[in-house]
């Protein structure tokens, strides 16, 4: 009888130990399958053609992106989308997250080969984002401080209601000749690329038929105009706006 009591007492202690251990794991969110209730998945996406042995990396102002230590940045994974090489990767962050970040081309030891110039990308989660959601940030490589302002080009230029022809434009700004009530619009694509040779072919492709409908071979080829500036013009129907495009 004493031996039976000892066995029951030992089993009871064993049961209590596992019960409290399980409760603790649940509270800490350590059980497989449980996710933080306040986390949001952020994905980065950037089309960029690298050389053999090179990779793309994103590094930023917060620890999860390396705190500007490129060696601790997040390596992106390449995949082909048609004829385009696209790099992507993701991180998990809390709601209300914000930071600055830049893309880097690195070798297999994370040594920097080249990096974006100009203003750093800013990341702010939109209001109303729900826990567990995934948000994708689509970027384009920036080549200089006066490079094409990708995030404001459509708002400040393409969607502009009027255009003053007396304004002198600078490299990297796309100009539109808006004639009142005209069925077609003359669009000038202009980009400043200081890091490539003048005999390099630069195309603009996009959602419009004049821009090849995302096919490089059918895109609009830009001509070298000197001082690292390439440009081209195209007449686009007003009904085709808004248009989306990268260089």
């Amino acid at each position: 009888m004493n031996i039976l009591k000892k066995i029951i007492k030992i089993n009871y202690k064993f049961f209590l130990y596992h019960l409290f251990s399980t409760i603790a794991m649940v509270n800490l969110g350590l059980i497989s399958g449980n996710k933080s209730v306040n986390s949001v998945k952020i994905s980065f996406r950037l089309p960029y053609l690298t050389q053999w042995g090179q990779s793309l990396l994103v590094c930023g102002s917060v620890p999860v992106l390396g705190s500007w230590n490129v060696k601790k940045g997040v390596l992106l994974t390449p995949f082909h989308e048609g004829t385009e090489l696209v790099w992507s990767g993701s991180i998990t962050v809390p709601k209300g997250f914000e930071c600055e970040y830049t893309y880097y081309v690195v070798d297999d030891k994370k040594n920097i080969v080249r990096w974006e110039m100009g203003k750093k990308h800013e990341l702010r989660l939109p209001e109303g984002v729900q826990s567990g959601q995934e948000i994708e940030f689509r970027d384009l490589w920036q080549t200089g401080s006066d490079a094409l302002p990708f995030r404001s080009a459509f708002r400040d230029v393409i969607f502009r209601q009027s255009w003053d022809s007396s304004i002198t434009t600078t490299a990297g700004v796309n100009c539109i000749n808006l004639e009142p009530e005209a069925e077609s619009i003359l669009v000038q694509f202009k980009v400043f690329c200081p890091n490539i040779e003048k005999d390099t072919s630069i195309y603009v492709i996009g959602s419009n038929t004049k821009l090849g409908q995302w096919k490089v071979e059918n895109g609009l080829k830009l001509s070298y105009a000197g001082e690292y500036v390439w440009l081209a013009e195209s007449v686009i129907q007003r009904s085709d706006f808004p248009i989306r495009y990268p260089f």
Side-chain angles (χ1 to χ4, degrees), residues 15-193:
F15 168 76
L16 289 178
Y17 170 78
H18 279 277
L19 175 63
F20 286 113
S21 296
T22 302
I23 293 173
M25 291 175 69
V26 170
N27 289 336
L28 292 173
L30 299 177
I31 294 180
S32 177
N34 284 358
K35 297 182 179 179
S36 175
V37 294
N38 291 317
S39 65
V40 178
K41 184 177 180 180
I42 292 177
S43 296
F44 300 93
R45 175 188 172 99
L46 178 77
Y48 190 85
L49 182 62
T50 57
Q51 303 298 321
W52 181 260
Q54 297 177 351
S55 299
L56 214 62
L57 174 148
V58 59
C59 184
S61 59
V62 290
V64 71
L65 291 177
S67 297
W68 297 123
N69 183 345
V70 175
K71 296 286 188 180
K72 297 181 180 179
V74 178
L75 280 172
L76 305 181
T77 302
F79 66 92
H80 283 279
E81 192 171 82
T83 59
E84 192 172 51
L85 183 64
V86 179
W87 294 80
S88 68
S90 60
I91 57 175
T92 301
V93 300
K95 291 197 302 181
F97 177 83
E98 61 181 54
C99 72
E100 292 183 333
Y101 64 94
T102 296
Y103 293 99
Y104 297 82
V105 177
V106 297
D107 61 18
D108 55 1
K109 294 182 179 180
K110 286 191 175 182
N111 296 314
I112 299 174
V113 177
R114 72 181 66 90
W115 62 92
E116 289 186 295
M117 292 182 288
K119 188 177 180 180
K120 295 179 175 63
H121 301 275
E122 293 183 359
L123 188 159
R124 287 186 177 86
L125 292 181
E127 295 183 6
V129 63
Q130 299 297 316
S131 299
Q133 283 188 330
E134 179 174 353
I135 300 176
E136 184 178 68
F137 288 85
R138 298 193 173 194
D139 294 306
L140 293 175
W141 183 274
Q142 299 182 95
T143 57
S145 59
D146 52 351
L148 174 69
F150 296 114
R151 298 190 178 219
S152 61
F154 303 121
R155 182 184 66 250
D156 298 337
V157 181
I158 289 182
F159 295 139
R160 195 168 177 174
Q161 296 301 313
S162 63
W163 187 264
D164 185 353
S165 59
S166 65
I167 296 176
T168 302
T169 59
T170 59
V173 178
N174 295 309
C175 310
I176 296 181
N177 182 13
L178 288 175
E179 295 291 341
E181 307 302 327
E183 294 183 359
S184 59
I185 298 171
L186 177 64
V187 181
Q188 182 188 81
F189 297 94
K190 192 174 185 180
V191 63
F192 177 71
C193 301

